[in-house]
Amino acid sequence: MPGNLGEESLKRKRSKVPHKASKRAKAESNDSEGEHDPQAEILLLENAILESKKNYNNITTLLQIAQKDDDDNDSTQLAMVSLCRVFLRLLASGNLARREGQSEKDIVVVQWLRKRLGDYKQIVLSTLGQEDSASIALTLAMRILKAEGQYMNDKDETTFPKVFLREIVGALVQAGSEDVRQEFCEKYLGEYADIRFYTFKALKDIIALDSQISPEESLFDNMFGLLSFFEDVPGSEEDMGRFYIDAPKKKSDPVKSLNQHKRQAQEAWLALFNLDPSREQRKNVLQIMTKSIAPWFTKPELLMDFLTDSYNSGGATSLLALSGVFYLIQERNLDYPLFYRKLYSLLDANILHSKHRSRFFRLLDTFLSSTHLPAVLVASFIKRITRLCLNAPPAAIVVVIPSIYNLFKKHPLCTFMMHRVPRTPEEKEDLENEGMTDPFIADEEDPMETCAIDSCLWEVVQLQSHYHPNVATIAKIISEQFTKQSYNIEDFLDHSYSSLLDAELSKQVRKAPVVEFMIPKRVFLPQDPAPGSEDTLLAKLWDFQ
């Protein structure tokens, strides 16, 4: 470099370097008719930079090639890769680090190189939004990140390049494609403890910045994809994984602490909840709440507001929030007022048709299993759900009947509902003359006031004549002796129309059914007068002659 290596002197030398490089390219290609090979020129520019500091201005030329918007993607990608190799070599050799005793000339060079490295980072970050080159850009960005962490730190202490990682994560969640985000999760986020720790922190910072303006709906979905990548939470510090950059020497460094990892994840999730998710986004969160979200929280009670709001919203959202509310009740002794009243309200006409039916029945079986519950309360649930079975699909009815059986075994006081006989002649006479009025109040919201304990399960009798033979057979267990201790609900939860039909078709017919059917000779016209022949219903109602 000449005596004064300022910004302008570096710019003055740009026009000379490509000219020299082109001469060398022609010499190496043996003057092959003056062909112009941009890729070979890029490699020559790279080699010239590594050979001498005098050729540092070639970095500017490579940056210009890397950010061109023409159709030559190969040259653009090759320029980005060449620049990555150049900066990795410069970082490893310490040319971008300031040291004591450096001259003013060397300090100017270091500052210039750092600015060019910043320009290169911006090019790589912008390329993360291009689907064709995003994977290459991610690899280059993470290599620069690792080199910065290794070679631009003090000797006694490791400093993670948090700012650059935040820019990478910001580019991924704001403009990156689904494939590059998945690659980032599989190669880096799930493998390295330090990447995971600072990614959680970066997501929280990005949400804090974007919340000041109106964030796009896709931002929530993209961030949710990164945070929900982890199905299991590390159980100990040994399970957290390796370090992408050298592990910190301090034992008290938060990156080494599992509790600090959970705290950063907790803050990231809470920040995501503040983005006001839509109904569908809230459902996606609730589906993984107890397995992938709540275990990250060092203070699960912070989920109370989000879960109770979801539980009170009604519909499928309440159904999905039920497991999260139960988690807080079980783990943190959450006091939810009128819990069973809200649970009773979920038993509506849609519950037995919902795709989340299996999840609901698992939780319902848990909530009603306590023998300390009032029989009046349990009777309301039994009566309400059997009433819904009158319009339910067969796959749902085969789950309800064993559940009712188990509830009767756990709460014997409710068995009066199965067989209620008139006690006096007057009651019997009124029943024969006027019929019976069901005392059950179907519109009552409070399960303690429905009078279900005074009713009977006439709905089960109707189900015993169901058109589906499996439903009719299983409904008869309520009318038989309760010799079985209990039914395993898991055996019935996965039934559907398809599984019930396959079960019927796969049965072996031991004895062929007797069929007596006479094929008519005529359908639309009267039959010939003969013994045993009868006109069809169509011929009787209409005259087609």
Side-chain angles (χ1 to χ4, degrees):
M1 305 289 291
N4 185 12
L5 287 179
E7 187 82 20
E8 296 181 357
S9 66
L10 290 170
K11 290 181 180 178
R12 285 198 300 268
K13 297 180 69 176
R14 284 179 191 162
S15 59
K16 299 179 181 180
V17 176
H19 180 69
K20 294 179 180 179
S22 61
K23 289 182 179 179
R24 295 180 58 184
K26 291 179 181 179
E28 293 181 1
S29 59
N30 295 323
D31 300 328
S32 56
E33 298 178 357
E35 293 182 357
H36 179 68
D37 188 354
Q39 297 186 12
E41 183 179 352
I42 291 171
L43 295 177
L44 290 173
L45 290 171
E46 175 190 349
N47 294 330
I49 295 170
L50 300 177
E51 288 175 0
S52 175
K53 294 182 180 181
K54 297 179 180 180
N55 299 320
Y56 278 175
N57 279 320
N58 290 359
I59 296 176
T60 305
T61 306
L62 290 175
L63 287 172
Q64 293 174 353
I65 298 174
Q67 59 187 353
K68 284 183 179 179
D69 296 331
D70 53 13
D71 297 332
D72 193 1
N73 290 329
D74 294 338
S75 297
T76 302
Q77 293 179 5
L78 181 59
M80 291 174 58
V81 173
S82 297
L83 284 168
C84 182
R85 288 195 293 258
V86 167
F87 284 117
L88 290 178
R89 186 76 64 86
L90 293 176
L91 285 167
S93 60
N95 290 339
L96 275 78
R98 294 189 60 175
R99 296 181 297 271
E100 294 183 1
Q102 283 183 326
S103 63
E104 184 178 353
K105 173 182 174 181
D106 293 335
I107 293 175
V108 172
V109 174
V110 170
Q111 292 176 347
W112 186 85
L113 289 175
R114 288 189 174 187
K115 289 181 180 180
R116 301 293 77 74
L117 177 59
D119 296 340
Y120 175 67
K121 288 180 183 178
Q122 295 304 316
I123 294 174
V124 173
L125 292 174
S126 64
T127 310
L128 286 174
Q130 302 175 8
E131 190 172 354
D132 296 339
S133 307
S135 179
I136 297 175
L138 177 63
T139 302
L140 299 177
M142 296 306 294
R143 288 182 179 177
I144 293 294
L145 179 81
K146 185 173 185 177
E148 281 189 337
Q150 289 177 337
Y151 303 117
M152 293 188 70
N153 300 324
D154 297 333
K155 296 181 179 179
D156 299 333
E157 186 178 356
T158 300
T159 304
F160 192 92
K162 299 183 285 293
V163 176
F164 187 37
L165 180 63
R166 184 170 67 241
E167 293 175 346
I168 294 173
V169 175
L172 290 175
V173 298
Q174 291 172 346
S177 64
E178 181 66 28
D179 293 337
V180 72
R181 283 192 296 272
Q182 185 67 22
E183 182 180 351
F184 175 74
C185 291
E186 293 176 354
K187 290 185 177 181
Y188 305 102
L189 192 60
E191 293 291 330
Y192 302 103
D194 49 354
I195 296 292
R196 185 187 312 121
F197 179 85
Y198 290 109
T199 297
F200 288 150
K201 196 170 184 179
L203 289 173
K204 182 191 69 173
D205 296 339
I206 293 168
I207 294 174
L209 293 174
D210 289 352
S211 61
Q212 299 176 1
I213 57 177
S214 57
E216 298 181 0
E217 185 176 352
S218 61
L219 180 65
F220 182 96
D221 297 329
N222 297 340
M223 288 193 171
F224 175 75
L226 291 181
L227 289 173
S228 61
F229 174 75
F230 305 98
E231 295 182 356
D232 300 322
V233 178
S236 62
E237 294 181 357
E238 289 76 15
D239 298 334
M240 291 193 304
R242 301 169 292 165
F243 287 91
Y244 189 63
I245 299 175
D246 297 339
K249 297 180 181 179
K250 291 183 179 180
K251 293 183 179 180
S252 60
D253 196 287
V255 181
K256 293 184 175 181
S257 172
L258 177 60
N259 190 49
Q260 291 296 326
H261 273 252
K262 289 185 176 181
R263 184 177 178 182
Q264 293 298 330
Q266 171 182 287
E267 293 180 357
W269 277 114
L270 290 175
L272 187 66
F273 296 158
N274 292 332
L275 287 180
D276 192 18
S278 64
R279 193 176 187 86
E280 289 300 321
Q281 291 170 342
R282 190 176 288 262
K283 288 180 182 179
N284 294 333
V285 172
L286 294 173
Q287 284 181 346
I288 64 170
M289 176 62 69
T290 56
K291 292 184 178 180
S292 302
I293 299 179
W296 282 106
F297 276 64
T298 56
K299 295 180 179 179
E301 55 269 20
L302 295 175
L303 291 169
M304 287 182 182
D305 292 340
F306 179 81
L307 287 174
T308 52
D309 290 345
S310 301
Y311 191 46
N312 294 332
S313 62
T317 306
S318 297
L319 189 60
L320 293 172
L322 189 59
S323 58
V325 173
F326 174 64
Y327 177 86
L328 292 182
I329 292 174
Q330 191 177 36
E331 298 293 331
R332 286 295 185 271
N333 296 323
L334 171 67
D335 184 16
Y336 189 92
L338 304 177
F339 173 77
Y340 281 95
R341 182 169 180 171
K342 180 62 181 178
L343 181 64
Y344 184 73
S345 67
L346 295 180
L347 291 173
D348 55 13
N350 299 321
I351 188 65
L352 297 183
H353 299 268
S354 173
K355 63 180 180 180
H356 308 296
R357 181 179 62 218
S358 300
R359 179 197 294 257
F360 175 76
F361 275 104
R362 287 189 183 96
L363 295 171
L364 185 66
D365 183 64
T366 303
F367 296 144
L368 299 179
S369 61
S370 175
T371 56
H372 298 287
L373 293 176
V376 176
L377 177 72
V378 179
S380 297
F381 279 90
I382 294 175
K383 181 66 177 179
R384 180 75 167 263
I385 202 168
T386 51
R387 180 68 63 85
L388 294 175
C389 284
L390 296 178
N391 297 308
I397 302 175
V398 297
V399 181
V400 171
I401 300 300
S403 301
I404 295 174
Y405 182 97
N406 293 344
L407 290 176
F408 280 137
K409 293 289 289 186
K410 295 174 183 176
H411 306 276
L413 291 178
C414 296
T415 54
F416 292 104
M417 303 173 64
M418 287 190 294
H419 189 62
R420 194 176 296 278
V421 180
R423 297 181 180 276
T424 62
E426 292 79 7
E427 292 179 356
K428 187 175 182 181
E429 183 179 357
D430 292 341
L431 182 63
E432 292 176 353
N433 296 333
E434 301 178 5
M436 183 194 74
T437 301
D438 195 340
F440 173 65
I441 307 175
D443 298 333
E444 177 60 46
E445 296 180 357
D446 189 354
M448 298 295 292
E449 304 293 337
T450 60
C451 300
I453 195 68
D454 299 325
S455 180
C456 63
L457 296 182
W458 57 266
E459 296 90 350
V460 177
V461 179
Q462 303 300 316
L463 294 177
Q464 291 174 355
S465 303
H466 197 274
Y467 73 89
H468 199 289
N470 289 0
V471 175
T473 301
I474 200 169
K476 292 177 182 178
I477 66 174
I478 304 298
S479 301
E480 300 172 354
Q481 292 185 357
F482 280 30
T483 56
K484 191 177 181 65
Q485 182 63 30
S486 65
Y487 285 91
N488 186 7
I489 301 300
E490 295 292 334
D491 297 338
F492 304 92
L493 290 176
D494 296 330
H495 281 300
S496 61
Y497 272 119
S498 178
S499 63
L500 292 174
L501 182 61
D502 292 340
E504 286 294 317
L505 294 176
S506 62
K507 287 183 178 179
Q508 295 183 354
V509 181
R510 298 180 180 178
K511 184 178 180 181
V514 178
V515 179
E516 183 178 355
F517 179 70
M518 182 180 296
I519 302 176
K521 295 182 179 179
R522 300 176 182 176
V523 177
F524 297 100
L525 299 176
Q527 304 293 327
D528 294 333
S533 62
E534 184 178 356
D535 294 341
T536 62
L537 181 61
L538 283 174
K540 292 179 181 179
L541 295 177
W542 289 281
D543 185 8
F544 293 99
Q545 291 182 344

